[in-house]
Amino acid sequence: MSAAFDVVLLVFLIATAITVARSQDLIAAVVKFGVYSLVMCLVWQHRGAPDVAITEAAVGAGVTSVLFLLAIARTERAEKR
Amino acid sequence: MRGLGLALVLVAAFTIVLGIGGLPPRLDPEGPVHTHVGARYAERGLEETGLRNLVAAVLLVYRGFDTFLEVVVIFTALVAVLALPSGVIGGTSWREPDAETSEPDAETSESGDRRAAAVVDRPDTGVPVSNVVGFVVRLLAPFIAVFAAALLYRGHVTPGGGFQAAAIFGALFIALGLVLGRAKADRLVPRGVRPYLQAMGPLAFALVGLLGWRLTGAFLGYPSEASAYVLREAMVVAVEVGIAVGGAVILARLFQALEGR
Amino acid sequence: MELFGFDLDYVAFMILFCIGLHMLVVKSNLLKKLLGLNVMETAVFAFIITSGMVDSGDPPILVAGTNPPFANPIPQAMVLTGIVVAVSVTAVALALIVQIHAHYGTIEVSELKERP
Amino acid sequence: MSDPWSLLVPGLVVLPLAAATLVPIVAGRDPRRAGSFTFGVVLLVTAMAAALVWRVGEVGAISVPLGGWAAPYGIEFRFDRFSAWTLGLSALFAFIVPFAWRYLEGTLPRSRWHVFYALLLLNLGGLLGFSVTGDLFNLFVAMEVVSLSSYAMVAVAGRGVAAWAALKYLLMGSVSSLLVLFGVGLLFALTGSLNLIDVAARVAEAPASPATTLALASLMVAFMLKAALFPLHAWLPDAHAIAPSPVSAVLSGLVVKVGIVGLVRVLQLSAGSGTDLALVNQVMLVLGTAAIVMGAFMAVFQDDIKLMLAFSTLSNIGYIVLGLGLAAPFAVIGSVVHVLNHALIKVTLFLAAGSIIHQTGFRTLRDLRGVARVMPQTSAAMAIGALSIVGIPPTAGFICKWYIALGAFESGQGVYGFALVFGALFIFVYYVRMLNAFFFRPAVRAEVQAAREPAWSMRAPLFVLAALCLLLGIFGSIPLAFVEPAVVELLASMGR
């Protein structure tokens, strides 16, 4: 059960990372990055690191995403190809 | 670029796979990771530091200097952001904004720079916040503050600690700034005390470190006798509060600067 | 968990590292590059944390209900520091990107290279 | 009473960092006070470093367990003969800070002066921490303090162009930092320890594994990237040329040395690891030689004097790496001393170039023709710096290169000795080009003819630095003799 959960989390993690890389709308990319960070938090919680999980949720997912969104608001939203 | 990128990634993947294949088996309680330094922390950490959360014990007591430098790093980030020319990144002065009208160009900047700066208009940050959001933030603010304080205070025993509290305090400032408007939010932390508050993390460490040297003969040492329990506790709390307050103010100011204030 | 003799966690983090590296090298958009750097960083953090795990171990918090063996606290402390460092670097990079956009009007490397 | 020496080593690091947080408070409404305060702090740090160097000469390496936790359970600071470089480092800051007093006028609005000084102090503190720490993770965090303040200092005075150069520097620097972190994490997974000496011992005990190789390779590539060793140098020229001149001096003279100090650490780590050291040395020899030649080659075609100096840094990093790669006593001693001597010379050159650019407003050789007639003193300092860096006896640059060349011939790898001499000739060419333009060509710009010598606070540091370039050449055997025992010990641990 636990092992299966692990595998699902890891696969989901990789999938989110790929969607971050692929989305051309930067706001979407940042939101997906937030999701990626939150999933990473779950992984860490699961690996016996609750301190790091809380920090990643607050700093990695929270603060980083907000700072990114501010920067997007002042630059461009679409990634050009 | 694309081909080069792919090649680089493949080389990196290949090297890493080769390398991590040679690591000792993970999860093995007899592996080197668990039998050396970590084992001693697990055995004697509580007795030596008085902290039940061993991560906090490592961060604050065993490897306090790392955390000191970490606090210095986020302070550096604030200074770095404030170092950028005004007009784009806001709030270049970390005291009251001086009446600086002329901004001489650097030896390196070109005339184009001046033009660009003139064209840039301050972003529109006066987005009205909906009543619902305003209400919810006001309602939750005290609870969020209590939660952050609890994370800080209970950090010895449960997961949490200075930085997590800082992030949440910082987020609270930011949310209140959006809801209450800038003027009121600015009054929450008067400008005059900001230079002191943002310096609190490194300063708390430096002072506690000096005190520790005076008491134990080692910089950042904590008295270990049972009788000095209260003093030791006070030193740990001083450092944690320094990290939390300093960190929160720095995060809020980074937000403001990126927002263009 | 193992896969072809490799630890599954390590393999997953290597893949994440490579996705981040690919974003950093190939993407032309500066914000995308920065996101790639963040993905890489998280992958390295995950690697470090995972290396400190122990079989059926509890988090390293000595309270009622947790028993040895404990996960190693040092990698966790390292990663906590690393996360704060990463967010600091990201903040500075974002400020620089805003500055670049104000001056050049673009944040695409391909276009930046064409301008003086 | 506690032992004061145990406070002095961490104090060396904590003092500038804590002082940096106080700069805005001290500056108050008068930004000039920030400069005097910073200068005071730097002088104090220099005095502390001098006391420590003297002490090391008397009693040998000082090891300070921070928090009283003996290694490997806590962080250990080690001040040994290699750490003598911290004295030179803080002393050079003591020249750069007063130079910046007047330089900042007209370069940076007053409202940002204290930010600039705070960044300088943070940079100094990080460099000192990086140099004295004996702990791998502490090394990483200290390096981040250095890097982050360096990125900011590149962008501090310019607008878009500088921000773009700074961002390129930041992205490269972050990759390098990440590789360091990865390497440290791998080493921790292998040994369960973070203390440098302990890790080295445990790596030596353990059977050789590809994971060890990956960790060491990752660290090595990371530090080569930080040192801008060819072919990982692409970020350097822009960042160093666009930054304000005192910053260029710090970056080119001191910050790139982070990579070199790191490389020495990795060599210490890999001494017993079963890694093929001969191969590592071969790689360093080839890259070092390539860096010397390419740096010189690219510098020849530059017209911008600061770009020229930036490319010359590439060559000199090449010399240092070449010396380390030769792994012969003479060569390594030469390299270790050249870390400091190159810093001294490069700071002299960048400050001189900064004065010239500050006074005339031009930065290309074409525009600056004839500048020596109106600024003879500054130009003379520049000339002394140029002769030093080429390696003309009796200057500071000569003795190091001489030792490296001696090492090459002594260890039977004379071909690298010839490469070194050839590189020096190449370097000679472009410095002659520069001096020729300054001294022997008629001025083409009216502004240059109208220029004057800069203020005394800018000239005085330059004179002392130029004098030091000569003195360290004449009395060059003193630093060489000082580091010799440490180098011999290092080489012995590597089986040489």
Side-chain angles (χ1 to χ4, degrees):
Chain A
M1 166 57 209
S2 173
F5 184 60
D6 265 2
V7 174
V8 170
L9 273 185
L10 291 179
V11 169
F12 191 61
L13 204 55
I14 293 171
T16 19
I18 292 174
T19 57
V20 172
R22 290 190 65 85
S23 73
Q24 288 190 37
D25 181 350
L26 289 173
I27 292 193
V30 170
V31 172
K32 285 166 189 164
F33 178 75
V35 174
Y36 166 82
S37 300
L38 288 174
V39 178
M40 194 57 107
C41 251
L42 282 180
V43 174
W44 289 344
Q45 178 73 31
H46 208 65
R47 300 282 183 280
D51 272 282
V52 186
I54 293 183
T55 314
E56 175 69 8
V59 180
V63 176
T64 308
S65 303
V66 168
L67 293 179
F68 261 105
L69 290 177
L70 281 177
I72 292 172
R74 305 193 54 203
T75 53
E76 289 158 17
R77 181 172 172 172
E79 178 193 12
K80 291 175 201 152
R81 279 281 156 136
Chain B
M1 207 57 193
R2 231 151 241 278
L4 180 73
L6 209 59
L8 191 63
V9 168
L10 287 178
V11 170
F14 182 70
T15 324
I16 299 176
V17 166
L18 268 189
I20 58 178
L23 280 178
R26 201 164 60 86
L27 303 176
D28 176 10
E30 299 305 314
V33 176
H34 298 291
T35 49
H36 191 35
V37 180
R40 152 149 174 170
Y41 290 172
E43 267 165 39
R44 303 189 47 195
L46 179 57
E47 167 201 345
E48 283 178 342
T49 66
L51 301 177
R52 290 191 169 273
N53 183 349
L54 287 182
V55 179
V58 173
L59 276 176
L60 297 174
V61 183
Y62 287 117
R63 302 181 61 83
F65 209 84
D66 279 347
T67 315
F68 167 69
L69 288 180
E70 169 190 3
V71 184
V72 171
V73 167
I74 59 165
F75 179 79
T76 311
L78 175 67
V79 183
V81 169
L82 296 182
L84 297 180
S86 58
V88 182
I89 297 297
T92 51
S93 158
W94 46 10
R95 302 187 64 85
E96 289 284 343
D98 294 340
E100 189 80 42
T101 43
S102 67
E103 174 118 343
D105 269 8
E107 79 184 32
T108 52
S109 62
E110 305 148 357
S111 57
D113 278 348
R114 197 190 290 272
R115 229 180 323 119
V119 175
V120 173
D121 46 357
R122 294 295 180 111
D124 177 23
T125 44
V127 185
V129 177
S130 82
N131 285 339
V132 181
V133 175
F135 176 72
V136 172
V137 169
R138 271 170 238 228
L139 183 71
L140 287 183
F143 295 103
I144 297 176
V146 171
F147 176 60
L151 265 186
L152 173 64
Y153 179 70
R154 302 272 300 164
H156 308 358
V157 188
T158 57
F163 271 108
Q164 292 86 333
I168 292 168
F169 271 128
L172 183 63
F173 284 147
I174 293 165
L176 283 176
L178 289 179
V179 171
L180 299 176
R182 266 180 219 165
K184 271 193 189 167
D186 268 3
R187 248 176 281 145
L188 285 176
V189 185
R191 278 177 186 276
V193 300
R194 283 180 198 172
Y196 296 92
L197 291 183
Q198 73 204 6
M200 264 186 76
L203 285 185
F205 257 106
L207 294 177
V208 168
L210 265 183
L211 180 65
W213 176 74
R214 200 76 188 87
L215 294 172
T216 68
F219 187 78
L220 268 178
Y222 292 88
S224 53
E225 311 87 65
S227 55
Y229 172 77
V230 178
L231 181 60
R232 182 174 67 197
E233 194 78 340
M235 286 163 77
V236 170
V237 170
V239 169
E240 286 267 42
V241 169
I243 297 172
V245 175
V249 171
I250 290 176
L251 285 179
R253 299 213 59 193
L254 281 176
F255 178 89
Q256 288 181 340
L258 269 177
E259 206 190 7
R261 278 196 268 160
Chain C
M1 284 292 290
E2 292 211 340
L3 186 74
F4 308 123
F6 287 104
D7 190 285
L8 196 60
D9 271 26
Y10 287 166
V11 170
F13 300 141
M14 182 210 60
I15 295 174
L16 289 178
F17 186 89
C18 290
I19 294 173
L21 183 63
H22 189 257
M23 277 174 85
L24 182 67
V25 178
V26 169
K27 297 287 173 185
S28 167
N29 187 295
L30 289 174
L31 287 167
K32 267 308 207 23
K33 276 184 188 285
L34 198 56
L35 275 176
L37 188 67
N38 271 288
V39 170
M40 275 167 89
E41 273 165 352
T42 330
V44 171
F45 296 157
F47 163 76
I48 293 176
I49 294 235
T50 312
S51 72
M53 267 176 82
V54 62
D55 205 10
S56 68
D58 276 326
I61 297 170
L62 314 176
V63 288
T66 58
N67 300 301
F70 296 106
N72 194 323
I74 305 171
Q76 301 193 12
M78 278 162 70
V79 170
L80 274 174
T81 307
I83 290 176
V84 174
V85 169
V87 81
S88 309
V89 174
T90 304
V92 176
L94 287 172
L96 289 173
I97 290 175
V98 170
Q99 190 85 27
I100 290 169
H101 184 264
H103 180 76
Y104 290 99
T106 178
I107 52 169
E108 301 284 331
V109 174
S110 51
E111 293 173 17
L112 282 169
K113 277 188 181 154
E114 291 161 12
R115 308 188 190 190
Chain D
M1 189 56 209
S2 319
D3 173 22
W5 295 106
S6 72
L7 183 64
L8 217 48
V9 181
L12 202 61
V13 184
V14 174
L15 179 69
L17 294 177
T21 67
L22 293 176
V23 168
I25 299 169
V26 172
R29 292 226 142 263
D30 182 4
R32 272 172 302 185
R33 273 196 298 205
S36 341
F37 175 71
T38 306
F39 187 51
V41 172
V42 173
L43 283 185
L44 192 55
V45 171
T46 311
M48 285 159 72
L52 280 167
V53 169
W54 171 79
R55 176 85 174 164
V56 165
E58 297 279 301
V59 301
I62 304 171
S63 162
V64 179
L66 290 173
W69 307 108
Y73 301 107
I75 296 169
E76 180 199 13
F77 272 10
R78 261 184 91 75
F79 200 97
D80 54 20
R81 280 169 184 268
F82 287 128
S83 314
W85 120 273
T86 58
L87 172 61
L89 189 144
S90 41
L92 287 175
F93 267 84
F95 295 112
I96 293 167
V97 171
F99 180 86
W101 281 338
R102 291 300 288 274
Y103 181 87
L104 288 185
E105 278 173 17
T107 307
L108 202 63
R110 290 189 154 211
S111 60
R112 286 214 309 280
W113 282 14
H114 41 254
V115 181
F116 178 84
Y117 287 118
L119 285 173
L120 274 182
L121 280 178
L122 289 167
N123 202 273
L124 171 62
L127 283 167
L128 289 168
F130 185 87
S131 310
V132 301
T133 188
D135 185 280
L136 277 168
F137 189 65
N138 207 244
L139 197 78
F140 164 76
V141 195
M143 193 176 79
E144 284 301 296
V145 177
V146 180
S147 309
L148 209 50
S149 49
S150 305
Y151 310 148
M153 287 198 296
V154 171
V156 71
R159 288 180 184 281
V161 187
W164 177 218
L167 191 74
K168 277 189 278 190
Y169 183 17
L170 183 145
L171 289 176
M172 284 298 194
S174 301
V175 170
S176 150
S177 304
L178 196 59
L179 285 177
V180 172
L181 187 62
F182 184 54
V184 172
L186 274 168
L187 284 177
F188 183 80
L190 279 162
T191 64
S193 175
L194 288 171
N195 183 276
L196 264 165
I197 295 173
D198 191 39
V199 169
R202 291 174 73 90
V203 162
E205 277 169 25
S209 96
T212 321
T213 313
L214 176 64
L216 294 173
S218 166
L219 287 172
M220 201 163 272
V221 172
F223 287 125
M224 286 178 173
L225 190 53
K226 275 270 187 273
L229 183 63
F230 179 84
L232 304 171
H233 64 277
W235 56 269
L236 182 137
D238 271 1
H240 287 200
I242 287 173
S245 293
V247 173
S248 308
V250 172
L251 294 182
S252 232
L254 305 167
V255 173
V256 285
K257 304 297 165 49
V258 162
I260 301 295
V261 176
L263 268 181
V264 173
R265 297 264 193 253
V266 181
L267 288 178
Q268 280 172 321
L269 275 179
S270 47
S273 69
T275 319
D276 188 357
L277 272 179
L279 179 71
V280 173
N281 284 336
Q282 202 60 43
V283 170
M284 287 170 70
L285 288 175
V286 171
L287 292 183
T289 312
I292 297 174
V293 175
M294 290 307 291
F297 184 71
M298 286 184 280
V300 170
F301 295 104
Q302 298 306 323
D303 203 31
D304 180 320
I305 53 174
K306 283 182 74 177
L307 261 179
M308 226 176 195
L309 295 179
F311 279 113
S312 132
T313 298
L314 294 184
S315 291
N316 278 282
I317 291 294
Y319 279 118
I320 295 172
V321 172
L322 178 68
L324 291 176
L326 285 168
F330 276 130
V332 178
I333 293 172
S335 277
V336 170
V337 175
H338 198 48
V339 168
L340 188 55
N341 282 6
H342 169 251
L344 168 71
I345 301 168
K346 205 34 81 64
V347 169
T348 314
L349 282 170
F350 263 119
L351 293 190
S355 305
I356 292 173
I357 296 170
H358 189 258
Q359 295 304 109
T360 63
F362 294 110
R363 51 188 296 158
T364 58
L365 286 185
R366 182 194 305 272
D367 292 327
L368 285 172
R369 278 178 199 167
V371 74
R373 269 167 231 166
V374 287
M375 295 174 70
Q377 300 168 2
T378 309
S379 304
M382 187 102 186
I384 292 175
L387 295 179
S388 294
I389 209 147
V390 176
I392 309 278
T395 56
F398 163 71
I399 194 144
C400 304
K401 290 182 183 175
W402 175 245
Y403 261 62
I404 297 174
L406 269 184
F409 290 112
E410 179 203 47
S411 63
Q413 303 173 82
V415 57
Y416 294 106
F418 288 118
L420 188 148
V421 175
F422 177 72
L425 284 178
F426 225 140
I427 292 171
F428 188 58
V429 170
Y430 62 80
Y431 279 108
V432 163
R433 219 180 121 224
M434 181 167 87
L435 295 179
N436 178 44
F438 284 3
F439 283 89
F440 303 115
R441 303 292 289 274
V444 289
R445 293 280 187 178
E447 293 93 328
V448 168
Q449 281 169 324
R452 274 176 300 144
E453 288 281 358
W456 265 106
S457 71
M458 279 167 84
R459 252 184 294 169
L462 209 51
F463 293 161
V464 182
L465 284 167
L468 278 175
C469 284
L470 291 176
L471 284 177
L472 272 181
I474 296 165
F475 301 104
S477 51
I478 297 171
L480 292 164
F482 187 82
V483 299
E484 194 184 342
V487 169
V488 170
E489 198 182 310
L490 172 73
L491 287 173
S493 75
M494 292 162 68
R496 297 270 174 165

